[in-house]
Every structure is written in structure tokens, then in C-alpha cells.
Amino acid sequence: MILPVVIYLFAVFFVPIGGMLGLAVRDDELAEVMPLTVTEIAKWDGAGLPGPTAFEAVARDLTTAANARTAGTPARRLSYDDPALRGVISTTARGLKGEFAEGTDWTTRLPELDPAWGQPAVWTAIDRAAGPYSDFFVLAALDLRRDAAGSLHFAPDESRLYLDVLARTLKIAASVTAICLILALPAAYLLKSVSTGTQGLLMIVLLLPLWTSLLVRSAAWMVILQKNGIINNVLLKIGIIDAPLELVFNRTGVLIALSHILLPYAVLPVLGAMRNVSATQTLAASSLGAGPVRTFFSVYLPQIVPGISAAGLLVFILALGYYITPLLLGGPGDQLLPFYIAFNTTQTVNWGLAAALGSILLLATLLLYGVYVKLVGADRIGLG
Amino acid sequence: MDSQYLWRLAIKICGALVLFFLIAPILAIIPLSFNSSSILSYPLEGFSTEWYAKLFVDDRWWNAIRNSLIVAAATVAIATPLGTFAAVGLSKVTFRGKPLVVAALMSPMIVPTIITAVGIYFMFSKLGLANSLTGLVLAHVALAVPFVVITVSASVAQLDPVLLRAASSLGAGAVTSFRVVTLPLILPGVISGAIFAFTTSFDEVVVAVLLTGPEQRTLPRELLSGTRENLDPSVMAIATLLVLFSTALLLVFNAIQNRSRKLRD
């Protein structure tokens, strides 16, 4: 009876994700259009320029590509390495005019079409892209690249991006987790201590946001936080501020909205832990003379720590994966890793990089999920 | 009044403020959809239903609602039986590595949707399933199934094994005993699971962004464009309708859960 769902998820969930992981290390676009070049470049020792056969292979491949109108593929692939190489490939393909002249000295002819062929840079780029598998995209997702000799270097400052994005994603997720935990404690305490009837009502208040469309919640925050929105209007009217605060399309907006969206996930585990604390223990503590603060820290808190850590871990994991909310409420500098995965999938169409970034996010999530499963058990991941 | 009492009162007031923070933004947009001004702010200028009237004549929204309902209904129809069978099956067997299987079944809930979406997009683009409602349904089923497994499992856990033994001693086969004994008893869980599957699909936007073209736009996808390009009161009107709809679903879900809890006690 379990088999159908296992087969289904295998086909529609695990295979696609496996495919994505594969795309992160597969690098065969160049080889598809320039097969001769790829074979010849394998014979090059990486020092100086490759031999005349490699030049001839490039000329043959690009002639064929120009006729088949497929020169765009190697141009795009090499541009991931260095944007200037896109022009080198297309100029050369155009310059060859679709005819391969036998007996030409390609070692002088190619540099005439584009001087880049006289420099090692383009050849190392071809060597790196020869495939069929490479760590190019995974390294690019970490702002690293390999030079001709094979050693690793950080990309030049102006093209560095993804380490920042990764750090930013972790930082925002950590801030949101902290905010959620601080807010979850009093809310869970209130829910635990009211009568059953009131609790039913308050549970609806807690769960309604979870059932409301994510877009409705994000749009609501846009409206509330905008320059002439409710918050700014109220603050202006009571004279706390003189000019509207910038609350949206920046980090503040992202933090407020993400905390609001993830808060119920933090309250539920904490509430579960609080329900298991017996009232007699805190009573005993205070009858022995412990003040409220001491009772809380030495009797109450230690007992709800498992609930708090489960809540924190869950919120952190979920926060790593948000795409739409930061898109709507953040500025360009507040986008998380998921934004760049989507961006490279649909805008730059650099699927290898998108897949590599996805693999990094997946790895982080799965590691934390493993810890979470150990902590609470897989069957208890729910919405309460 | 001792300090203990004041301390507790202070925590409860903070708790109440937190719950207010949770619910207030959702309620705040409702009056804005009835505002006669197109400026999305308080104080309101006057009462008007023109934004709702605008919605009713706009094909764009109708199309989106229709697509969303088709996709959500199909998702429910596939995910509910898949998840129900899995939950019943899991309750009957113990084997080494079962926790791993359970963790794997739950993982679509935990893996960021963008990763599922991108993986499915890469695969479906090759299979020609991108830009089709079929592709979207297949993806939504994967996302919805864990929720069905969880809710049905909770029901199955309450099932009295004596009843099943009684059924088989009276000569009922596995199929009959499932149909006559198990299914009626876990039905509240199955319906709850179906509701979960419905909302999962009905609210899903990340897969929809990647997998739908202009023809297949679902309601959340259309709402995303509305919010990004032209945030006006008709977006608030749609949002209000969605809030009412999810409140209704939540209340139904709650009622089913409470009833089955009462029946047990």
C-alpha cells in the first residue's frame, strides 16, 4: 500500500531533484556543438597556445555551427566563464562565412578574425568547458574558479556574488528565527494558560495566517508598511516621527513579513512543550522561595528547551527557502538564495549555475532536516 | 497582588499582542477593499463595492480562478487516495529503515519549494509538460501528499485493532475490511487530508511561476503579477475573498477535528 506513493514521489520528486543535482556537474553544451575542438583541446598541456590541429578544429566546428545556427550555444557557455568570450565566438563564426577553406593556416587566420585566439585565455576557457562533467558550476556558485594550472582562486571582486548571497540568506534566516522564538514564548504561554473555550478561538487566530494564501499575507504587509501605509500614517499622526519611515522594499520589510509568516511554526512546538510541563513543579519552586524570574530560568525554561530548539530549527529551515516574500517586500540587496536559483533558471538561462545553487541550498536544508528528524522524529513534523 | 501574578499577567499581555500581530495584517486589508478611494490607506474615504464589481467583469481573474480550481481538484483527487493508502500501509508494517522511508515521504514539505519547482521544471521542459496544467497538477500532488499522510496517520493511530481482527474473524478479506471498517472510521482524517491537499495546491505559487504560461495562470500567479505591477483595491478585493475562503476551510477542518476528538473520548 505504501508502494504507489513511493513510486509517485520517486518519479515526480526525487528523480527531478536528482536531475537537478546532475545538471550541476554536467557540462556538455560546448562538446555538443564543438566536438572536434573538445577532442583536440584534451591533447593540450595547458602551456602557451595549443597546436595547429586545435586551431583547425575550432575553424571546422564553428563553420558547421554557423551553418546550423548553433554558434549561440558555445558562445553562451563560454560567456559564463568570461562575458567577453561570447563576442569572440560569434565574431569568429560570422567571419568564417560558413565555408571551410582547406589548406588555410588557421594559427594565423583565427587571430585575424579575433585577436583573442592568439591569447591563452580563450583556450583555457574551452578546456574548462570541455566536459562532459566539471565542477565549474558548483565552483561558480561559491565564487570560485579554476585557472589553467587547475588551482582554485576567488573570482575577481566585481563578479563575486554568491558567497554574499549565501551569507545573507543565513543571516536573514537566523534573524527571523530569533524574532520568531522571542515572540513565540509569550504567545504559547497565553495559549496554554487560557480556558479550553478561549483556547479554541485563539488557536484559530494562530492558524488562520497559515491557511491564508502566502500572497495575501505578503500583499497585506506591502500595503501596511508602504510610505503612506497604515503604520506610517499612525506614527505621523501621533507625532512619533516627522517623515515617513522606509519600511518596505528593504531588509526591514523582509524581516517583518517573514517573521509573521513563520511565527505559527514556532508557536506550535513551543506550545506542545509547555503543555508537558507540570504546574506542580513551578509551584514547588516558588513555594521554596524562588522568584518568578528564577523559577522561569531554572525550572520552566529547561523543560521547554526541546520544544524551543525544534521550533528554531524548523523556522530556520523554512526561512532558507522563501522566494516570493523577499521578492515582494525586499530590495535588490535583500533577495535570498531561492531568488538567484529562479533568476538563473528563467532569466539568464544558466541552468548549470541554477542547479549548483539549488544543490547548495538542498544540502543545507537536508543537513538541518536530518538534525530535526533526530530531534523530534519525522512523524511529528506537522502543523499541530 | 504578588509579583508572580503580575509577571504572568505581563507575559499574557505580550502573548495577546503577538497574536494581534498575527491576525491584524490579514484583517486590515478587508476594509481597504470596500474603500471608495483607490489609495490603499486609512482613514477610509467612503464605502464602495466598485472594486468587486470590477473583478466580476475581468476575465483575467475568472480564468485564474477556473485554472486554480481545476488544478486543486485534480490534486485532491490524486493525492488523497495516494496518501491515505500510504498512511494505512505504514501503520501496518514495521521494518528496518522505516523511519528513513517516513522522512523521505515527508521531505517535499521540507525541501524548499523552489528546488522542487526547478527540478520539475528542468524535467518537464524536456518532456513537454511545461506550460500545461497537467504538469502543474503532477507537481502539486508531490507537494500535497505528505500533508495527507500526516493527517490520515493521526486518524489511523486511533483505530482500534480489535475491530479489524473482528472483521477478519467474521470472514472479511483485506479489501472488505478496509472498505467496511477502516475507511469509515478514518474518514474524518481523510477529509482533513483532502482539505490540506486542496489548500496546498490552491495557494501554491512558486511552481506555478515556473510551470505556467499566460494561458495556465492560476490565482496565486495572477495575484503575484497584480501585487508586483499594480497593487490596487481590486487586488485587495480578491485577497479579501481568499481570506474568507480560507477562514471557512479552517473552520470546517477544525469542526471535523473536534468532532472526531469528541467521538473518541
Side-chain angles (χ1 to χ4, degrees):
Chain A
M1 288 178 98
I2 318 169
L3 212 55
V5 83
V6 170
I7 295 170
Y8 188 91
L9 285 183
F10 185 73
V12 184
F13 183 74
F14 292 105
V15 168
I17 288 181
M20 181 197 79
L21 295 175
L23 269 182
V25 293
R26 210 167 64 209
D27 197 358
D28 53 8
E29 280 187 312
L30 190 84
E32 258 168 43
V33 181
M34 304 180 70
L36 302 173
T37 312
V38 166
T39 318
E40 286 302 321
I41 204 81
K43 298 171 190 158
W44 178 41
D45 60 359
L49 290 174
T53 47
F55 282 82
E56 192 186 317
V58 166
R60 278 188 196 275
D61 279 337
L62 286 182
T63 310
T64 320
N67 288 330
R69 297 183 183 282
T70 53
T73 305
R76 180 164 50 80
R77 171 59 188 86
L78 291 176
S79 77
Y80 299 154
D81 203 296
D82 177 0
L85 295 180
R86 185 190 287 272
V88 175
I89 296 294
S90 49
T91 321
T92 313
R94 259 200 318 276
L96 288 167
K97 297 204 178 75
E99 271 175 59
F100 184 78
E102 295 288 346
T104 312
D105 177 11
W106 294 107
T107 49
T108 52
R109 179 70 186 128
L110 280 187
E112 277 169 33
L113 290 171
D114 193 307
W117 294 109
Q119 302 293 325
V122 65
W123 297 104
T124 24
I126 289 176
D127 191 29
R128 270 197 288 265
Y133 295 97
S134 79
D135 53 10
F136 176 80
F137 294 112
V138 177
L139 292 177
L142 296 167
D143 290 337
L144 288 166
R145 47 178 57 222
R146 226 176 252 291
D147 64 14
S151 51
L152 291 176
H153 297 280
F154 276 109
D157 278 343
E158 67 277 5
S159 58
R160 259 192 234 179
L161 172 63
Y162 293 112
L163 281 182
D164 268 358
V165 170
L166 198 61
R168 180 197 302 159
T169 306
L170 295 174
K171 195 173 139 200
I172 291 182
S175 316
V176 168
T177 307
I179 297 171
C180 281
L181 288 181
I182 291 168
L183 297 180
L185 284 171
Y189 186 79
L190 176 70
L191 277 161
K192 193 213 69 171
S193 44
V194 293
S195 67
T196 328
T198 322
Q199 197 184 50
L201 188 73
L202 292 185
M203 278 309 271
I204 290 178
V205 171
L206 178 72
L207 295 178
L208 183 61
L210 277 186
W211 285 71
T212 306
S213 159
L214 183 77
L215 276 159
V216 170
R217 285 176 278 167
S218 305
W221 279 114
M222 282 176 80
V223 168
I224 292 168
L225 298 174
Q226 65 183 321
K227 218 165 212 160
N228 59 355
I230 301 162
I231 303 240
N232 270 320
N233 278 1
V234 169
L235 291 179
L236 283 171
K237 198 150 261 173
I238 49 181
I240 293 181
I241 52 169
D242 300 321
L245 300 172
E246 298 284 348
L247 296 170
V248 77
F249 308 126
N250 56 23
R251 192 62 57 90
T252 317
V254 174
L255 289 179
I256 292 176
L258 270 186
S259 303
H260 175 253
I261 285 165
L262 292 168
L263 183 53
Y265 293 103
V267 175
L268 291 171
V270 175
L271 179 60
M274 282 185 177
R275 279 185 177 143
N276 289 331
V277 179
S278 84
T280 49
Q281 292 190 7
T282 48
L283 217 61
S286 55
S287 76
L288 289 170
V293 178
R294 179 138 180 234
T295 310
F296 176 77
F297 280 105
S298 49
V299 179
Y300 202 70
L301 193 62
Q303 299 195 60
I304 58 168
V305 159
I308 295 179
S309 31
L313 210 50
L314 183 62
V315 169
F316 190 83
I317 295 174
L318 293 175
L320 293 178
Y322 271 80
Y323 166 45
I324 298 295
T325 306
L327 185 70
L328 289 173
L329 286 134
D334 308 305
Q335 301 305 320
L336 308 185
L337 201 47
F339 170 84
Y340 294 90
I341 298 173
F343 180 76
N344 282 311
T345 304
T346 57
Q347 304 295 311
T348 63
V349 205
N350 186 347
W351 284 10
L353 183 57
L357 291 168
S359 307
I360 291 171
L361 180 59
L362 183 66
L363 184 72
T365 309
L366 288 184
L367 282 177
L368 293 165
Y369 180 47
V371 178
Y372 182 79
V373 169
K374 271 252 162 359
L375 202 68
V376 298
D379 48 335
R380 300 211 30 224
I381 311 157
L383 303 173
Chain B
M1 281 211 269
D2 59 310
S3 67
Q4 189 85 27
Y5 176 81
L6 282 176
W7 176 251
R8 287 206 179 125
L9 186 69
I11 297 179
K12 282 183 198 170
I13 291 173
C14 291
L17 288 175
V18 171
L19 289 181
F20 177 76
F21 163 73
L22 270 176
I23 198 81
I26 297 170
L27 298 181
I29 56 172
I30 296 175
L32 293 174
S33 69
F34 292 107
N35 195 3
S36 55
S37 154
S38 68
I39 296 166
L40 293 172
S41 189
Y42 289 89
L44 302 177
E45 283 183 12
F47 181 82
S48 148
T49 53
E50 64 169 306
W51 308 109
Y52 288 88
K54 253 178 116 175
L55 284 186
F56 276 99
V57 295
D58 194 339
D59 277 348
R60 207 166 50 113
W61 291 112
W62 281 116
N63 237 342
I65 290 172
R66 199 181 47 108
N67 282 337
S68 273
L69 287 176
I70 293 173
V71 171
T75 302
V76 169
I78 302 172
T80 314
L82 270 182
T84 303
F85 283 135
V88 174
L90 280 172
S91 75
K92 285 185 176 162
V93 291
T94 40
F95 53 93
R96 267 191 64 187
K98 185 178 167 187
L100 198 69
V101 172
V102 174
L105 287 184
M106 297 299 121
S107 55
M109 278 191 327
I110 292 289
V111 169
T113 326
I114 185 71
I115 290 182
T116 317
V118 166
I120 289 179
Y121 175 75
F122 290 154
M123 184 166 103
F124 284 9
S125 308
K126 283 185 198 133
L127 299 177
L129 280 169
N131 293 348
S132 79
L133 290 184
T134 319
L136 195 58
V137 170
L138 290 176
H140 281 181
V141 169
L143 294 176
V145 145
F147 292 100
V148 182
V149 176
I150 286 181
T151 32
V152 178
S153 288
S155 272
V156 172
Q158 306 295 331
L159 209 59
D160 190 347
V162 173
L163 293 173
L164 292 176
R165 253 180 278 144
S168 70
S169 75
L170 290 170
V175 177
T176 316
S177 99
F178 176 79
R179 194 171 51 85
V180 180
V181 181
T182 310
L183 193 58
L185 285 170
I186 61 168
L187 197 61
V190 176
I191 296 173
S192 305
I195 295 177
F196 253 134
F198 183 90
T199 47
T200 304
S201 164
F202 199 70
D203 291 341
E204 199 290 320
V205 62
V206 179
V207 181
V209 165
L210 288 182
L211 236 51
T212 62
E215 290 294 303
Q216 300 92 25
R217 282 198 164 185
T218 56
L219 192 53
R221 179 70 189 82
E222 201 64 67
L223 213 59
L224 178 64
S225 314
T227 312
R228 289 190 85 184
E229 288 146 25
N230 183 23
L231 188 58
D232 72 355
S234 37
V235 174
M236 294 295 109
I238 271 280
T240 301
L241 294 176
L242 278 176
V243 169
L244 294 179
F245 186 59
S246 25
T247 312
L249 277 183
L250 172 59
L251 292 178
V252 171
F253 183 82
N254 239 12
I256 295 172
Q257 298 276 314
N258 284 338
R259 227 187 107 199
S260 58
R261 204 169 297 149
K262 262 185 209 137
L263 283 177
R264 276 204 303 275
D265 295 343

